[in-house]
Amino acid sequence: MKVQPMEMLDQLPDATRLCGAAKASAEEAAFEDAREAYAVATGYPTIENFRAAVRAYDELLALVKGEVKL
């Protein structure tokens, strides 16, 4: 009995977390947050907006460096 390729794919375990897809999507989201915060800080320059941009950037760096567990 020959197994069809699509049936074999359905039987494979989900290895998404092993491939780093969760980290990649978290990094993309953090990058977008940092980009938006920077845009707000440069469009409406206040101390609070710049602090928010720095916090968003720090969160992005922590994710990229692997300091945050997902």
Side-chain angles (χ1 to χ4, degrees):
M1 176 178 182
K2 186 174 181 180
V3 178
Q4 297 297 324
M6 289 306 292
E7 290 176 13
M8 289 175 50
L9 287 177
D10 292 338
Q11 296 172 5
L12 291 175
D14 182 19
T16 303
R17 65 179 176 73
L18 298 175
C19 297
K23 184 179 181 203
S25 63
E27 287 175 355
E28 287 177 26
F31 176 79
E32 286 301 317
D33 290 344
R35 188 182 63 78
E36 290 174 13
Y38 180 77
V40 169
T42 55
Y44 304 99
T46 65
I47 296 297
E48 293 82 18
N49 288 344
F50 280 108
R51 287 179 180 163
V54 169
R55 277 192 304 270
Y57 182 73
D58 288 342
E59 290 172 8
L60 172 63
L61 283 183
L63 273 172
V64 170
K65 290 180 179 179
E67 296 171 353
V68 177
K69 286 263 189 178
L70 298 177

